[in-house]
Amino acid sequence: IRNTCTMSTSLQVTAAFGVVASAMGFTSTYSNTASTQLNAVTDPTTITKKEYGDICGDVFGEDEMKARYAKTDFIYPKHVEVIKDLEPIAEQMTDDILLETGDKAWQPQDYLPDMTSEEWVDGVKELRKNAQEIPDEVLVTLVGDMVTEEALPTYQTLLNTFEGCDDPTGDSESAWAKWSRGWTSEENRHGDLLNKYLYLGGRCDMRAIEVTIQHLITNGFNPNARKDPYRGFVYTSFQERATKISHGNVGKLARKHGDPLLQRICAKIAGDEGRHEKAYQAFVTEILKRDPNGLLAVFGDMMRGQISMPAEQMTDGHDDNLYENFSEVAQRIGVYTAIDYADILDHLIVTWDLEHLEGLNAEGEKERDYLCKLPTRYRKLAERSMNKAKKAGDDKPTLRQFSWINGRSA
C-alpha cells in the first residue's frame, strides 16, 4: 500500500464495518458506499474520495503542487502579488550578485593552512603567532560575530516564512527559492572560516563557543517579520549592512594589531555581506515602485519598535546577559555602535530616495516624514547617551568574564 493515513473516527467505523460485514457475507447497510484502493468502504456523506485522497497525501508533480499552493489564502495577498512580479529581479540578482558555486567560488580553506602539506606546522605556527597579538576585547567581538554567522539555519528558516518567497519543496526551481539557497550557501562559508581560524588560533575555549552556538540555534530568532515579505526585505537590507560594518571594523582592528590573515578574512566576509546588502536593497527599491504606500507603512511600523539583532538570544548556559555584554564590548571598541544604527537607517533612506517618492497617499506622506527625521533623532540620542556617561564617570569600561576566552575578562 503506497499511502496510509489516520482517518477520522467516523470513517474508521464506516470502513471497518463495511469490510467485516463483507467478509461475513452480510450486506452493508450503507447503500451509497464507494470502494477505495485500500479496499476500504467510504460513505460519501461522511467524506468524498477526493477528500480521502487529500488526507492520505497523494503524490503531486511540481506544477500541480504550485497550483495547490496558489489556492492557499495568504495573510498579505497584495504583498505576494508584488513579490510575484519581482521574480525576474530575483533571478537577475541570483545571476549577478551571487558568485559561482564550486571551484570558482572562494572557500574557507583558501585562507587557512593546508593540513595535508608537509609545511602545515609552519602555517599553524604563523597563524598562532599573529593571533597572539589580538586583544581580548577584539577576540570577544570576533567570537560574537562568528556565533551569529553559525546560526545560519535559523536565518534560512526565516527566509522561508516570507509569503511568496518560500521554497516549499526544498529544491524548488522558483527564482526566490534559488536565491534563498544560493544566499545560504554563500553565508555558510563565513561561520566555517571564522570557526576554523579561532580553533587554530588556540586562544579560545571552543567548547564554550560551540555550546553558545547550539543554544542560539535552539532558542531561535524572531525579528517580528510576521511572514511579511516587505518586512523581511527591510530587515535583511538593514541587517546585511550592519553585519558588513561589524566584520569590516574587526578587520581594521586586526590589521592595527598585526594580524594580516584575520584582516583578509574579515574583509572577504564583509565583501559578501556588501553584495547581499545590495540585492536586498534592490528588492525593496522595486517594491517601492509598485507599492510605495504599503512598503512605507511596514517600514515605519518596524522603526517604531527596534531592529532586532539576530544573536539576541545567545547564551553559553551560564551568562544570561551574554549578548548584552558582547554588544557592550563591540560598542566600546567601535565595531558596531548606536551611531552605526543611525547611519544605516540614513543610508537606506538615501538609497531608496524616500524624500522624493511620488504617488503617496496621506498615510504614506506621514510615514515618509517620520522615517526621514529618524536618523538625526537617533544620532542625537546616541551622542546624548555617550556624553551623559562621560559626565557621570561611566566611560571607564566594566570588565566582564567571558567563557569564550577561558574565563578572561574583557
Side-chain angles (χ1 to χ4, degrees), residues 204-216:
C204 297
D205 182 340
M206 294 307 298
R207 193 177 195 284
I209 293 172
E210 290 161 354
V211 167
T212 305
I213 294 168
Q214 187 172 15
H215 275 303
L216 181 56

Side-chain angles (χ1 to χ4, degrees), residues 165-372:
C165 306
D166 59 339
D167 183 4
T169 64
D171 61 353
S172 172
E173 290 296 311
S174 73
W176 289 113
K178 287 182 176 180
W179 165 263
S180 173
R181 296 197 301 269
W183 173 85
T184 302
S185 73
E186 289 202 347
E187 290 282 335
N188 187 62
R189 301 176 298 190
H190 303 167
D192 284 354
L193 177 52
L194 293 176
N195 196 319
K196 291 173 182 176
Y197 167 86
L198 290 169
Y199 170 73
L200 292 174
R203 295 186 58 202
C204 297
D205 182 340
M206 294 307 298
R207 193 177 195 284
I209 293 172
E210 290 161 354
V211 167
T212 305
I213 294 168
Q214 187 172 15
H215 275 303
L216 181 56
I217 296 174
T218 301
N219 291 340
F221 163 58
N222 180 11
N224 200 27
R226 306 176 191 173
K227 297 187 177 184
D228 185 349
Y230 286 14
R231 285 177 176 270
F233 289 150
V234 169
Y235 179 83
T236 49
S237 295
F238 191 104
Q239 188 56 45
E240 291 282 3
R241 188 167 183 83
T243 310
K244 180 185 77 171
I245 290 171
S246 183
H247 285 302
N249 285 334
V250 171
K252 292 175 183 177
L253 291 172
R255 180 178 59 191
K256 175 183 176 181
H257 293 289
D259 191 338
L261 174 60
L262 181 57
Q263 189 273 329
R264 287 177 57 221
I265 288 173
C266 291
K268 176 57 72 173
I269 294 173
D272 274 4
E273 306 293 7
R275 288 185 297 104
H276 299 162
E277 167 200 0
K278 289 180 180 179
Y280 285 117
Q281 290 172 11
F283 295 153
V284 175
T285 296
E286 294 298 327
I287 293 172
L288 284 167
K289 293 177 181 178
R290 294 159 174 80
D291 185 16
N293 293 304
L295 192 285
L296 288 178
V298 163
F299 194 5
D301 184 63
M302 291 176 70
M303 297 313 301
R304 286 181 175 85
Q306 189 174 9
I307 299 294
S308 302
M309 295 296 107
E312 285 185 354
Q313 299 203 66
M314 70 163 54
T315 177
D316 59 359
H318 303 285
D319 185 357
D320 292 334
N321 299 314
L322 182 56
Y323 176 77
E324 289 77 8
N325 294 334
F326 148 66
S327 297
E328 184 178 346
V329 174
Q331 166 92 11
R332 284 196 174 276
I333 65 176
V335 168
Y336 184 76
T337 69
I339 298 295
D340 290 321
Y341 186 95
D343 287 346
I344 292 171
L345 180 56
D346 190 34
H347 171 80
L348 295 178
I349 289 170
V350 172
T351 298
W352 295 330
D353 198 20
L354 297 192
E355 290 189 1
H356 301 102
L357 274 183
E358 298 179 352
L360 299 179
N361 59 23
E363 283 299 315
E365 293 279 0
K366 179 180 177 181
E367 293 296 343
R368 189 254 302 279
D369 293 344
Y370 166 74
L371 289 165
C372 289

Side-chain angles (χ1 to χ4, degrees), residues 50-71:
K50 182 180 182 303
E51 289 171 334
Y52 179 78
D54 288 345
I55 294 172
C56 289
D58 285 8
V59 177
F60 300 103
E62 184 165 347
D63 290 341
E64 191 172 359
M65 182 71 80
K66 287 181 180 179
R68 289 173 64 83
Y69 273 112
K71 297 176 183 177

Side-chain angles (χ1 to χ4, degrees), residues 75-90:
I75 302 174
Y76 311 97
K78 183 175 181 180
H79 295 186
V80 173
E81 182 180 346
V82 171
I83 292 300
K84 181 72 174 176
D85 194 48
L86 295 188
E87 285 187 351
I89 308 297

